[in-house]
Amino acid sequence: MTKDNKLALVTGAAGGIGSGIAQTLIQNGWNVALNDLDSASVTALKDELKKEATKAGLRLEAISGDVSKEEDVELAFETITDRFQTAPDLLINNAGIQTWKPLLELTLKEWERTLATNLTGCFLNTRCFAQHAIKNNQGGAIINIGSGCNKLAFPQLVDYNASKGGIEMLTKAAALELGPYNIRVNCIAPGAIETPRTKSEAGDYQASWSRLTPLRRIGLPSDVAAAVLLLVDDSATFISGQTLGVDGGLFAQAIWPENY
Ligand code: NAD
C-alpha cells in the first residue's frame, strides 16, 4: 500500500504470531492498533514496541476487547477512528483459541467459545472494517489467520477445525462481496509455528514438527509476518479470496505408507 499514514489493526496481538506481525508492520512503516482480550499483555506489548514506533514516526495504540462481542468490536473501531483520525487500511484477524479434546468430551460451552472467538470474531471485525472503509471510500485489505486445518482435520481439535474451515469460506465470501469496494480478503494458513503457546503444548515441539515438515524446520512468527507483507505489497493488488500456506510444505503432502 503506497498511502502515507497506513494503519493496521491486529487482533489477538499480544500472542506469539500477533506480536510478530505487529512488530513487522511497524518496521515496514505501518501505524498499528493492537487488540487483545488480555489487557495487561497488550499494554505490555505496546510499551515494548513504543520506542521502535516513535523512532520511526509511527503511532501505536493498545485497545483491549473481545473479538467475539459485537459491542467490543464496534467500540474498538470507534476508538481507533478517534485516536488515529482514520479508519484501518488493513485488518489482521489473528485472535484464535482451541480446545484439545475428543469430540465425545467437548462441551457445548467450549465449542461455542472457540467458534465465537475464531469465526464470529473474524466476521464481526470484517464487517466493521468494511463498513468504515466503504464509508470513507478508502479500500483496504483483510488477512485472516487460518491454519492447515482450514482444509485438513487435526485430531482432537473439533472446535478449532470447524472454525478454521469456516474462515476459509468466510475469506472467499467476503472477497466476493467486498471486492467491488476495492477491499481484498485473503487468508494465511500457518503450519507449525513456534510461539510460547505451541512450545508449551508439546515438549519436543521443534524436533517433532521439523521432522514432519519438508523444509525440515518449524516456522517462526516472522515467517507469517513476511507473508502478510507479501499480501499487502503493491504487486499483490489483484490477489483476493486466496489462502496462502506458510508451512514449509507441511500440508502439501499426502499420507503415504512408508512415511508412517
Ligand atoms: P496465541 O495463543 O499466542 O495468541 C492468541 C492471542 O489471541 C492471545 O494473545 C489471546 O489473548 C488472544 N485472544 C484470545 N481470545 C481472544 C478474544 N476473544 N478477543 C481478542 N483476543 C483474544 O496463539 P498464536 O500461536 O500466536 O496463534 C495466533 C493465530 O494463529 C491463531 O488464530 C491460531 O489459530 C493461528 N495459528 C497458529 C499456529 C501456530 O503454530 N502457532 C498454526 C496455525 C494457525
Side-chain angles (χ1 to χ4, degrees), residues 25-128:
L25 286 170
I26 291 166
Q27 288 165 350
N28 285 273
W30 288 80
N31 298 292
V32 179
L34 308 162
N35 151 271
D36 206 282
L37 183 61
D38 182 340
S39 139
S41 297
V42 79
T43 305
L45 177 69
K46 180 190 158 185
D47 293 345
E48 192 187 315
L49 298 178
K50 190 78 192 170
K51 204 167 155 199
E52 204 169 350
T54 309
K55 203 170 156 201
L58 299 167
R59 296 223 24 217
L60 182 67
E61 295 281 348
I63 292 144
S64 52
D66 185 337
V67 293
S68 71
K69 297 212 166 96
E70 193 169 27
E71 61 275 20
D72 281 21
V73 173
E74 283 171 2
L75 181 62
F77 275 83
E78 276 167 35
T79 310
I80 289 167
T81 310
D82 188 46
R83 292 198 198 160
F84 289 89
Q85 293 297 301
T86 179
D89 304 284
L90 170 64
L91 166 65
I92 311 284
N93 277 313
N94 166 75
I97 57 169
Q98 57 284 310
T99 317
W100 290 96
K101 269 193 181 175
L103 182 148
L104 294 176
E105 291 169 23
L106 189 69
T107 67
L108 176 60
K109 208 167 168 192
E110 288 162 341
W111 164 269
E112 286 179 342
R113 185 169 157 260
T114 301
L115 269 289
T117 303
N118 299 9
L119 190 52
T120 307
C122 196
F123 158 68
L124 289 173
N125 277 278
T126 295
R127 192 181 59 177
C128 228

Side-chain angles (χ1 to χ4, degrees), residues 11-19 35-38 41 65-69 93-98 113 116-118 145-149 154 160 164 167 188-198 205 221 224 251:
T11 72
I17 291 179
S19 55
N35 151 271
D36 206 282
L37 183 61
D38 182 340
S41 297
D66 185 337
V67 293
S68 71
K69 297 212 166 96
N93 277 313
N94 166 75
I97 57 169
Q98 57 284 310
R113 185 169 157 260
T117 303
N118 299 9
I145 305 299
S147 157
C149 74
F154 294 174
Y160 188 71
K164 295 292 183 180
I167 283 177
I188 290 174
I193 308 295
E194 189 175 58
T195 66
R197 176 184 63 82
T198 52
Y205 187 80
V224 180
F251 299 117

